[in-house]
Amino acid sequence: MKQGEKELGVVVSVDSDEAVVGMYNVTNGASYFIDGEEINGIKVGAYAILKQGRNRIVVTVLSEKVRDQLNTINSKEFDNRFHAQSIQRIVRVKSQGVIKEGQFSVTSSTVPMVGNVLVSASSEDIAAIFSRGVDEEKSVTIGRSLMENQPIRIPINDFFASHIGIFGNTGSGKSNTLHKLYLELFNSPYGNAALGKSIFAVIDFNGEYGSGKVFGKHQVNVFDGAKRKILIDENIFFNANVLKILAKATENTQSPFLSRTLKQWEEHEKNICSDMQIGLLKKCLQRCDIALVEEWRSVARDVLQENSDDKIDCMNVLETVSLFKGDTLSYLTNAGTGFINQGRSLDEVSSLKKNDNSGKYVSCIPSSDLKLEAIGQELEERGKSLDLFDSFLVFI
């Protein structure tokens, strides 16, 4: 037994992880003073300890009642009144875990047994339960336990260096909890070091921290998005996970596409890569898919900043490409009408041009007629002046 620890009762029956404890006389006090420390008594909802060898089984008190051992219903002198010298206090407890060598763990391998002695949970026990036995010098106190009125501490390094989540209904105190966590950190002996080496940013949609005085003496810079804005490095947006969220990309189709596109774009040094764009155009022309050709022209016009009805010089011939009939595309040049057959390479003498004199089709080189090289050069020059967002959008 710990020095000064007061035995309050003993287990008289066990049912799975629950036990019934018969309390000793005069053990119904709200608290006790032992060695100058106030220890809470046994009450519903509070923690208590069942001693079992070197283990200290942590239990919560579920219920309590009294039993008159002399004045029972079967007694001839039953008068429905309790007698001070004959009643016994009975409490029911439930096992929550075990404290072994100062460390608390949730386990079902250690359960109450008849004869285990019940004692109040000490401040060290509460610290082991709530604070996992953290070193007081390297922790901050964020409150006190409701039933035991014992301080609750969290370790600075382990807690603030990891991800945390605070969940609860509206008005349940999530914002106050977050404020308390960081206010205690800033006011601790480690506060200046934390503020000197780290940047703390609070994204506050409801304006709860907007006064700038919520953290007391500590300087708070408020960026409201209108008068003052906080600058964010644009590269933060070019992350696969961020793009998936911003684009609301589906997991099985759009997300893999975004990831592959981003990887290729970075491999091309975040440039639109005109060679790739012209290669894509050739594929569209080769397939004689006029819908894809029109879409490509639309994107190209935006990149080359056509702001009027005047045609961009390098795009003049390409603008005339249209479906001729069947699987053939036609285009207009100064020399007449040219045709592109489906499936034929544009880099070879493989397409046909109508000879006005004979009425027959003759071989031609459409890649030259369509001025694809000039379009590629214009795209490359324009691509160098695009910002990262426009460059990535064109690349997609």
Side-chain angles (χ1 to χ4, degrees):
M1 180 188 299
K2 291 185 178 181
Q3 185 176 1
E5 195 167 54
K6 185 177 181 63
E7 294 186 352
L8 303 177
V10 65
V11 174
V12 295
S13 71
V14 177
D15 183 7
S16 184
D17 59 350
E18 295 185 9
V20 174
V21 179
M23 304 297 290
Y24 298 149
N25 292 334
V26 197
T27 57
N28 61 340
S31 61
Y32 306 93
F33 283 94
I34 300 177
D35 292 340
E37 180 182 6
E38 184 179 11
I39 303 296
N40 278 280
I42 304 302
K43 50 190 174 183
V44 174
Y47 283 102
I49 299 295
L50 287 177
K51 297 194 301 178
Q52 187 180 95
R54 298 178 62 184
N55 296 330
R56 297 173 70 82
I57 301 176
V58 178
V59 297
T60 50
V61 180
L62 300 178
S63 63
E64 65 173 317
K65 64 181 181 180
V66 294
R67 180 175 61 192
D68 192 329
Q69 300 180 81
L70 297 180
N71 185 30
T72 65
I73 295 178
N74 296 325
S75 172
K76 295 181 180 180
E77 300 178 356
F78 176 72
D79 60 5
N80 201 32
R81 288 180 296 176
F82 290 115
H83 300 276
Q85 304 302 320
S86 64
I87 63 172
Q88 182 183 26
R89 186 183 179 204
I90 303 295
V91 299
R92 179 173 289 275
V93 299
K94 181 179 178 65
S95 175
Q96 301 295 335
V98 63
I99 298 175
K100 187 174 183 179
E101 297 180 353
Q103 297 296 319
F104 172 74
S105 60
V106 177
T107 178
S108 58
S109 62
T110 305
V111 296
M113 299 177 64
V114 171
N116 291 163
V117 174
L118 182 74
V119 298
S120 291
S122 66
S123 57
E124 290 83 2
D125 294 325
I126 299 300
I129 297 169
F130 289 105
S131 307
R132 296 296 177 95
V134 298
D135 186 347
E136 186 172 356
E137 294 181 355
K138 298 180 181 179
S139 63
V140 293
T141 301
I142 61 170
R144 306 183 75 87
S145 60
L146 184 63
M147 300 301 296
E148 298 81 10
N149 195 34
Q150 296 294 331
I152 308 301
R153 300 191 302 272
I154 57 174
I156 293 177
N157 291 334
D158 292 344
F159 185 84
F160 291 101
S162 63
H163 295 91
I164 61 174
I166 303 174
F167 303 93
N169 295 328
T170 301
S172 61
K174 297 184 297 296
S175 298
N176 285 335
T177 300
L178 182 66
H179 171 257
K180 178 67 173 178
L181 286 172
Y182 285 98
L183 184 60
E184 290 295 332
L185 172 64
F186 298 155
N187 288 336
S188 74
Y190 304 92
N192 291 333
L195 291 168
K197 295 182 179 180
S198 304
I199 296 176
F200 296 84
V202 179
I203 300 175
D204 179 13
F205 294 102
N206 298 320
E208 295 174 287
Y209 306 103
S211 67
K213 299 179 181 179
V214 68
F215 291 108
K217 63 180 181 179
H218 304 287
Q219 179 65 34
V220 176
N221 295 319
V222 179
F223 301 89
D224 59 7
K227 297 179 181 178
R228 298 185 66 191
K229 298 182 179 181
I230 184 169
L231 298 179
I232 300 177
D233 191 323
E234 61 186 2
N235 287 287
I236 196 175
F237 294 100
F238 300 103
N239 174 278
N241 292 325
V242 173
L243 286 176
K244 291 175 187 178
I245 295 173
L246 294 177
K248 297 181 179 180
T250 57
E251 190 65 31
N252 294 329
T253 54
Q254 296 171 339
S255 292
F257 166 77
L258 275 176
S259 297
R260 290 195 303 269
T261 305
L262 181 61
K263 182 179 180 180
Q264 291 185 23
W265 180 61
E266 290 175 341
E267 289 175 353
H268 286 89
E269 298 180 350
K270 300 185 177 180
N271 193 284
I272 65 172
C273 187
S274 61
D275 290 343
M276 181 181 291
Q277 310 305 332
I278 295 300
L280 176 62
L281 172 60
K282 288 181 179 180
K283 288 291 185 181
C284 297
L285 292 167
Q286 184 178 345
R287 291 174 56 182
C288 291
D289 191 326
I290 189 61
L292 290 178
V293 172
E294 290 176 346
E295 184 174 353
W296 193 99
R297 288 188 307 210
S298 174
V299 174
R301 280 197 300 268
D302 291 340
V303 176
L304 296 173
Q305 291 186 317
E306 183 181 17
N307 298 319
S308 65
D309 294 334
D310 298 332
K311 302 298 181 183
I312 300 174
D313 290 342
C314 66
M315 293 278 287
N316 284 344
V317 179
L318 187 62
E319 293 286 357
T320 68
V321 173
S322 60
L323 186 65
F324 174 59
K325 64 179 179 179
D327 295 330
T328 304
L329 294 179
S330 66
Y331 62 94
L332 301 176
T333 67
N334 293 332
T337 303
F339 297 88
I340 305 172
N341 292 340
Q342 187 180 41
R344 306 302 293 272
S345 172
L346 298 183
D347 294 322
E348 300 174 1
V349 182
S350 58
S351 295
L352 302 175
K353 181 186 291 184
K354 188 175 182 180
N355 187 308
D356 293 333
N357 296 327
S358 65
K360 297 180 179 180
Y361 294 105
V362 296
S363 298
C364 68
I365 305 176
S367 60
S368 175
D369 289 351
L370 293 170
K371 302 183 182 300
L372 300 187
E373 183 178 350
I375 295 174
Q377 291 175 349
E378 290 287 342
L379 285 175
E380 184 175 1
E381 290 299 318
R382 176 60 186 146
K384 293 177 181 179
S385 64
L386 294 176
D387 62 26
L388 287 178
F389 295 99
D390 287 337
S391 174
F392 185 62
L393 182 61
V394 172
F395 195 85
I396 291 179

